[in-house]
Amino acid sequence: MIKKLFAFLLPISFVGLLQAQTKIYNEEQINTFFTELKQASASTFKLWNKDLYGPTLLVDPVTRKIYANEPDLEGGLQHSTNIYVGILPQEVNFSNTALGWNGKRWAMIMLPLPENRDDRINLLAHESFHRIQPELGFKLNNANNNHLDEKDGRISLRLEFEALKKALAAPDKKEVKKHLSSALFFRKYRYAKFEKAAANENLLELNEGIAEFTGIIVSGRDDDSTKSYLTKAMDRSLHNRTFVRSFAYQTIPSYGYLLFKQDKNWNKKINAKTDLTSYFMKGFAISVPSTTEKDFKRLALEYSGQVIFDEENARDSENKRIVKEHKIKFVESPHFEIFFEAMNYSFDPRTIIPVENFGTYYPTTRITDVWGILTVEKGALISPDWKKVSLSLPTSIDNNLVKGEGWVLELKGNYTIGVDQQKNKYLKK
């Protein structure tokens, strides 16, 4: 039976991958990276009472060559001196993540790795946490936090960052608590303005936030270096297109590190249902009795509020223009839609753009499914229910290879492309 991918004459956003970088490593260097992680994991075993070190894949995104610290169970990797090597199959997306492959659950990290040793271990430990995350009882969640792409959401988060930076730099416990109180005030203010913000932020913070906190501790930086790293990470995040999927890398590591200085076991007392905001408020003995607009505006001025207000007002106007363009292209105009059956994808969480209630725009992405491989380099729109991806109309169809502006679809099996003239759009049957 021939299955057809039919095209709706409507546009979609194109999701693309980061520009591939390449650096040649010899096997001795690769083995050194594994050894660094193994030693750091052993020295911080008490963090989770579990060794983070386990099956790990380092992947060259250009050649798809795999370097592993142990064999797989299906013969996909070959032993070479102290490591194992192979080629990542085309149907497997590469990204910094955890995945099941050839009989084992792996931590996967894309090459090149950071030059700095502490940063390198930080990254490897972060992804290693994701590998053991299910064993620790934490579900893998990526909740929708589109409110953090809205002006008021961004303003309150940036003010929270400013307060956290001052807490990290504070000379004594009294000052630390003062700025943490401000940070949590800005957070509670945001939750009061956006109905589902508290629950959705918490889900992502339990996922990416706890993973990054783990990386911070396992890296072994000293106190000054840790505070500097966290502060610079918040500053760097301002260069990202959005906070929607990346904010948790800054918030929980900062709160978590400051609480870790008081209680080395705090992270072992939480679970997948813990409300982290309430947990930190209790841990730091902080209460936020009210979050009035008057108090917000007054407190904001102590944390570069006027600069943030001005910058976000300017961004908001430009962002509305961009969202409107994507809406026209991928919703209101003719476009190509593909429905998901067993979708897996990779993308850059720093670049995505929520498009009202129509979904999320991905500048770049790589999607694999039973129908083949879709590589996007100039934008695509994924629906909010995760059922379909929308693209610009195809410009060429050559057997199993379909191309559009900035995207390529490699079909497999009995899938083909067809036009539904009656509905004036593409469908998949």
Side-chain angles (χ1 to χ4, degrees):
M1 177 181 177
I2 294 179
K3 297 182 179 180
K4 291 187 177 182
L5 301 180
F6 288 82
F8 292 71
L9 301 184
L10 304 173
I12 69 169
S13 310
F14 193 92
V15 184
L17 299 173
L18 287 172
Q19 186 69 28
Q21 301 180 47
T22 184
K23 179 177 180 178
I24 298 176
Y25 294 105
N26 59 45
E27 294 187 4
E28 182 179 350
Q29 289 174 302
I30 296 293
N31 188 52
T32 296
F33 300 153
F34 290 139
T35 300
E36 289 174 343
L37 175 61
K38 185 176 183 179
Q39 293 174 344
S41 299
S43 66
T44 54
F45 178 87
K46 291 183 179 180
L47 180 64
W48 292 106
N49 288 334
K50 190 171 183 65
D51 194 349
L52 280 176
Y53 188 73
T56 306
L57 301 174
L58 303 181
V59 183
D60 186 323
V62 177
T63 64
R64 301 186 71 87
K65 185 174 182 178
I66 305 171
Y67 303 91
N69 60 338
E70 58 183 69
D72 64 310
L73 298 181
E74 297 182 15
L77 299 171
Q78 303 300 316
H79 186 254
S80 178
T81 313
N82 295 316
I83 63 174
Y84 296 81
V85 297
I87 298 296
L88 188 69
Q90 286 293 326
E91 62 270 19
V92 180
N93 290 321
F94 51 77
S95 62
N96 293 337
T97 188
L99 80 162
W101 178 70
N102 278 12
K104 292 185 177 181
R105 182 170 172 81
W106 304 81
M108 176 192 286
I109 302 92
M110 290 170 58
L111 297 171
L113 297 181
E115 293 286 345
N116 178 274
R117 178 183 179 277
D118 294 341
D119 294 351
R120 188 163 58 241
I121 293 174
N122 196 141
L123 173 59
L124 293 169
H126 176 117
E127 302 307 335
S128 295
F129 172 84
H130 284 314
R131 185 184 64 80
I132 66 168
Q133 190 172 340
E135 299 173 43
L136 294 173
F138 293 97
K139 297 178 181 178
L140 282 74
N141 287 299
N142 288 303
N144 185 328
N145 284 283
N146 287 356
H147 64 284
L148 292 178
D149 207 49
E150 296 185 28
K151 181 176 70 172
D152 288 344
R154 285 179 58 88
I155 286 174
S156 60
L157 181 64
R158 288 187 61 183
L159 289 168
E160 184 178 355
F161 282 178
E162 291 301 314
L164 282 172
K165 288 191 290 185
K166 288 193 174 185
L168 289 165
D172 54 55
K173 292 182 179 180
K174 183 178 179 181
E175 279 291 300
V176 170
K177 186 171 181 178
K178 171 190 172 182
H179 296 303
L180 283 175
S181 296
S182 297
L184 290 165
F185 171 91
F186 294 130
R187 171 172 285 231
K188 297 291 284 187
Y189 176 85
R190 180 168 68 253
Y191 292 171
K193 288 190 75 71
F194 298 97
E195 182 182 359
K196 298 181 180 180
N200 288 340
E201 287 188 23
N202 194 63
L203 286 173
L204 191 61
E205 289 182 323
L206 282 167
N207 191 33
E208 295 298 349
I210 298 301
E212 183 61 9
F213 163 76
T214 300
I216 293 292
I217 302 304
V218 175
S219 71
R221 299 180 184 91
D222 61 29
D223 186 52
D224 287 341
S225 296
T226 299
K227 291 176 178 178
S228 175
Y229 179 84
L230 291 169
T231 297
K232 289 178 180 178
M234 282 184 273
D235 289 337
R236 286 195 303 270
S237 73
L238 300 180
H239 299 292
N240 296 343
R241 175 60 183 76
T242 183
F243 297 122
V244 168
R245 292 288 295 271
S246 60
F247 76 97
Y249 286 79
Q250 283 77 52
T251 54
I252 298 309
S254 299
Y255 289 114
Y257 178 68
L258 290 170
L259 187 57
F260 190 73
K261 290 165 66 68
Q262 299 177 197
D263 180 2
K264 294 292 190 290
N265 295 305
W266 77 259
N267 57 292
K268 293 196 286 286
K269 302 172 187 176
I270 64 173
N271 57 47
K273 296 183 179 180
T274 299
D275 179 336
L276 290 174
T277 300
S278 298
Y279 187 90
F280 286 130
M281 290 178 70
K282 183 178 180 180
F284 294 121
I286 291 171
S287 63
V288 180
S290 66
T291 54
T292 66
E293 189 77 16
K294 181 179 179 180
D295 289 340
F296 173 78
K297 290 180 178 179
R298 175 190 56 78
L299 190 60
L301 296 179
E302 298 181 26
Y303 296 93
S304 304
Q306 193 57 58
V307 172
I308 292 173
F309 293 151
D310 292 343
E311 290 178 351
E312 290 304 323
N313 281 326
R315 178 194 181 275
D316 189 54
S317 297
E318 175 64 9
N319 191 59
K320 287 178 178 176
R321 182 191 65 77
I322 293 171
V323 168
K324 183 178 180 180
E325 286 183 356
H326 294 328
K327 180 180 175 182
I328 291 173
K329 182 177 180 181
F330 299 110
V331 179
E332 298 174 351
S333 301
H335 63 265
F336 181 31
E337 292 184 1
I338 305 175
F339 285 79
F340 299 137
E341 296 186 32
M343 179 267 247
N344 184 277
Y345 77 138
S346 59
F347 69 103
D348 184 348
R350 301 168 298 181
T351 62
I352 62 179
I353 303 174
V355 181
E356 298 177 2
N357 62 336
F358 298 104
T360 301
Y361 172 83
Y362 293 76
T364 61
T365 189
R366 186 177 191 270
I367 300 174
T368 58
D369 206 314
V370 294
W371 36 254
I373 301 172
L374 172 66
T375 303
V376 179
E377 295 179 352
K378 290 185 179 179
L381 188 74
I382 294 181
S383 64
D385 58 7
W386 293 95
K387 290 184 178 180
K388 65 180 180 180
V389 59
S390 298
L391 302 157
S392 60
L393 291 173
T395 56
S396 69
I397 302 175
D398 183 10
N399 294 322
N400 67 336
L401 190 64
V402 185
K403 294 182 179 181
E405 183 185 1
W407 61 267
V408 176
L409 172 62
E410 302 168 70
L411 293 173
K412 65 180 181 181
N414 291 324
Y415 286 91
T416 62
I417 298 295
V419 180
D420 187 330
Q421 298 290 356
Q422 184 177 3
K423 294 184 178 180
N424 202 32
K425 51 190 176 182
Y426 290 86
L427 286 168
K428 182 185 74 62
K429 287 185 177 181

